Amino acid sequence: MKKILTAMALAGAMSFSAICSAAGEGSILTKDQRAAEAFTAAVTGTEVTFASAASNLAPELKDKITEANFKDIQSKIKAQLGDAKEINFRAFEHFNDGDRVVYVGSFSKEKVVAITYLFNPQNKIINFAFAPVKPPQEAPKK
């Protein structure tokens, strides 16, 4: 009986410690998601201003993306991908020197688009990519 109670107490303690260790990365993910979703909304043309999207950019990326070329980024995404239909969170990876957050979206011109954001340790976007995912082409038959 003592062994069963000890095993149950140990299992409970291990479960609780696993929950507590995940809590730190959960807050990082929440910050990263807020930044990525605000930037995605701004780039895809919904009602988010450049100023609010730029607040989530790292200084080195802020130097490259100005309000003038931000409009160009919006128009290129609209021309190549079309209108955003649906964008869903897919993956989060936490590293010592930053994070990677991946979304998968559906647009009017492209059925599947991988949207990847890279973050620095201060939860600011340092790079991003919108990449259409194409099905593999069949090999020519002999």
Side-chain angles (χ1 to χ4, degrees):
M1 185 68 164
K2 287 182 183 180
K3 290 180 182 179
I4 292 174
L5 289 175
T6 304
M8 289 177 63
L10 183 60
M14 289 177 64
S15 298
F16 184 72
S17 69
I19 291 169
C20 291
S21 69
E25 289 186 6
S27 67
I28 293 169
L29 172 60
T30 301
K31 290 176 187 174
D32 289 351
Q33 278 186 304
R34 278 193 210 124
E37 288 170 5
F39 192 78
T40 301
V43 168
T44 57
T46 56
E47 299 178 22
V48 176
T49 64
F50 170 75
S52 66
S55 67
N56 298 310
L57 301 178
E60 59 270 16
L61 192 57
K62 265 188 194 173
D63 294 340
K64 295 177 184 173
I65 298 178
T66 62
E67 191 160 2
N69 65 7
F70 184 75
K71 298 279 185 201
D72 188 44
I73 292 169
Q74 283 179 320
S75 63
K76 284 182 181 178
I77 287 176
K78 183 122 176 147
Q80 292 174 359
L81 305 176
D83 294 322
K85 293 181 179 180
E86 183 178 12
I87 298 174
N88 296 308
F89 170 75
R90 284 294 177 250
F92 169 70
E93 295 177 282
H94 178 66
F95 305 101
N96 289 337
D97 57 347
D99 306 318
R100 179 176 28 212
V101 179
V102 179
Y103 289 83
V104 174
S106 175
F107 289 75
S108 59
K109 293 182 181 178
E110 293 288 343
K111 290 186 180 183
V112 181
V113 177
I115 305 168
T116 306
Y117 288 97
L118 301 177
F119 291 86
N120 65 14
Q122 291 76 37
N123 303 103
K124 298 292 183 181
I125 299 170
I126 58 173
N127 207 345
F128 64 94
F130 284 66
V133 178
K134 304 282 185 186
Q137 299 206 1
E138 290 184 28
K141 295 182 180 181
K142 293 183 180 183

